[in-house]
Amino acid sequence: MRIILLIAICILNISVYAQKQAYHWYFGTNTGLDFSNTHTESTSLGNVLGVPSTVQGPINTFEGCFSISDINGNFLFASDGMTVYNKNLAVMQNGTGLLGHPSSTNSGIVIPVPDNPALYYIVTAPDRNNTAPGLCYSTVNMSANGGLGAVVLKNVSLTFGSSGYPVNHAYENLTAVGHANGKDYWVVSRVRSKIFAWLITSAGINVTPVISEIGMDLGIPTIAPSSIGVGAIKISPDGKRIIHADYRFGLDHYLTIGNFDTSTGKASSFQFVSTFLENLYSLEFSPTANYLYFTAIEREHRGLYVKPINNISAPFTKILPNIDNVQLGPDNRIYAIGNMQSSLWIILDPDNGGTQIAEVPNKFVSPRLPKLGLPPFITSFFNIKPIKGKELVCVGNDAEYSVEIPSIGSGTQQIAYLEWNFGDGTPVVKDYNMSASVTTYKQIHKYENKGVYTIRVTPYLVNGLPENSKITTIASTIAECKIVTNKMIRSDLLPN
């Protein structure tokens, strides 16, 4: 008998960021949306597949709200910034007295602690008021209280480092994005003339922020009528762009647009886009950051606007009246709500400028209605790398590749089939087995020669045209795999 030792190498592409962590939204007057339970709805554009169900929520908030699910889409907890509610919609153990505020644009955001699936940080923002406590963080341990969780550390102040700003100058905005290393996070806020970014690693929150100078000081936060400090901040799903909305009465109102570096936490190259719209409020990027969607929430300008992000000088367009907030969903659609309105609006094609917007009438039933707020999430949750497979594959071996499609769309934007081109000259493969209930599509392919190949997956719409904004590529390395034997074994000493 001869003994042969085989060495196999398998490296998988795994991201810690997952869209299912944004599956459960709770907001407004005890209402919410559940993306883990979707169905077909009759809308202004006809039947739309994959619409999240409406659920009763635990919070009653005018603005600020946030929630988090686990990587499998199971709801964990939600809050208005002051009280944390567990998965049973009851107050979490030690879950009261947080220093956010339900009338803050972003009363808080949740960040998983890297390398510790049981721990989460809650970062809270107060109502704009220069006597407020500032930005704080608390810690939730989900392994406590029989898996219902408990707040185990509460209201630790985040300082503004060497900026000289006191903590009570905090604005109402918060966002978060994944680090370039695919593991850690940045939590980010704009205050006056600066962007602050705090690094979150498995070791904790670095209390010394990375500070970037914007070049425009909006001033010390104040209550109405000037309301300095109101307005959202967002980083694009790919982590490259950062935008802040300046909400103030009676003054010019700017979109502050810059670049963001997820390796360093630095923001740079700021531009100030004058809108002449009062009370800019919420912001959202399309999935590929081709377009920016933003709202104004007061007076005759109230509504939803869109602007191409790579052409700052281009005009913005009002596409819906009476809209107060927008948020990208885990299905790569943008969802819009209006204060005390029963309808839900769905932007089915956000990467195409919002030309298809479906209104779902009577989606919310009084008294459980939206108000001004929608929950923010770590924007990297919406930047999934669609194709997954082995980075190193042996010549002549079958390898499985998959593409994740959260939604196949509807109407003229519905995906009819996927075209797979494996880059080795073999015929393209067309997958027509599209379904609203399926999110992962797989193909098995065998490469006959070593090299680095680019796999290209192109979605085609029902009108026969390719959906170029959602083409996905990945490099696959094919190697000659050798059998490695132990040369110390002498075959002449082995029994026959």
Side-chain angles (χ1 to χ4, degrees), residues 7 10 24 49 108 160 168 193 214 230 232 294 327 338 343 350 367 376 466 492:
I7 298 176
C10 176
H24 296 268
L49 307 178
F160 296 127
N168 58 15
S193 70
I214 297 172
V230 178
F294 60 97
Q327 171 62 44
S343 288
D492 59 323

Side-chain angles (χ1 to χ4, degrees), residues 104 106 125-128 135 160 167-174 189-193 217-222 228-231 244:
S104 175
N106 301 132
D127 185 17
R128 82 278 185 237
L135 303 180
F160 296 127
V167 295
N168 58 15
H169 282 195
Y171 282 14
E172 292 186 1
N173 62 80
L174 281 170
S189 184
R190 189 239 176 105
V191 179
R192 297 181 55 180
S193 70
D217 192 341
L218 298 180
I220 297 172
T222 61
I228 295 171
V230 178
H244 174 252

Side-chain angles (χ1 to χ4, degrees), residues 168-389:
N168 58 15
H169 282 195
Y171 282 14
E172 292 186 1
N173 62 80
L174 281 170
T175 190
V177 68
H179 192 283
N181 62 19
K183 173 183 173 183
D184 300 325
Y185 298 93
W186 298 100
V187 61
V188 179
S189 184
R190 189 239 176 105
V191 179
R192 297 181 55 180
S193 70
K194 295 173 173 47
I195 296 289
F196 296 88
W198 293 267
L199 179 62
I200 297 178
T201 70
S202 57
I205 298 182
N206 189 334
V207 296
T208 303
V210 175
I211 303 174
S212 303
E213 179 61 45
I214 297 172
M216 176 186 288
D217 192 341
L218 298 180
I220 297 172
T222 61
I223 59 175
S226 60
S227 297
I228 295 171
V230 178
I233 191 171
K234 273 287 174 73
I235 295 175
S236 58
D238 62 8
K240 294 180 179 179
R241 306 300 295 271
I242 185 169
I243 297 186
H244 174 252
D246 174 22
Y247 170 114
R248 284 181 292 176
F249 283 95
L251 296 170
D252 197 359
H253 305 270
Y254 290 89
L255 293 169
T256 300
I257 303 176
N259 297 331
F260 192 80
D261 187 337
T262 57
S263 296
T264 64
K266 291 289 289 185
S268 61
S269 304
F270 290 101
Q271 301 178 69
F272 309 106
V273 179
S274 177
T275 65
F276 302 103
L277 302 173
E278 285 188 298
N279 316 122
L280 298 181
Y281 187 66
S282 72
L283 301 164
E284 189 54 278
F285 289 90
S286 67
T288 60
N290 290 330
Y291 287 91
L292 172 70
Y293 296 83
F294 60 97
T295 66
I297 64 170
E298 301 284 350
R299 305 174 183 175
E300 70 273 12
H301 298 305
R302 183 185 179 201
L304 175 62
Y305 298 80
V306 64
K307 184 182 185 68
I309 194 63
N310 292 321
N311 185 1
I312 298 302
S313 62
F316 51 85
T317 304
K318 189 174 187 177
I319 56 176
L320 278 177
N322 304 320
I323 297 297
D324 296 308
N325 211 319
V326 285
Q327 171 62 44
L328 184 62
D331 54 5
N332 286 336
R333 299 164 171 173
I334 288 178
Y335 290 80
I337 52 101
N339 183 20
M340 301 302 291
Q341 297 190 60
S342 61
S343 288
L344 174 70
W345 289 265
I346 309 173
I347 303 174
L348 301 175
D349 61 338
D351 278 321
N352 291 320
T355 57
Q356 282 207 322
I357 303 176
E359 179 182 358
V360 186
N362 303 313
K363 180 66 172 174
F364 304 101
V365 179
S366 181
R368 296 196 292 272
L369 296 172
K371 291 190 176 179
L372 292 184
L374 284 174
F377 297 94
I378 297 171
T379 58
S380 308
F381 288 170
F382 310 106
N383 191 38
I384 302 302
K385 299 295 184 286
I387 295 181
K388 298 181 292 186

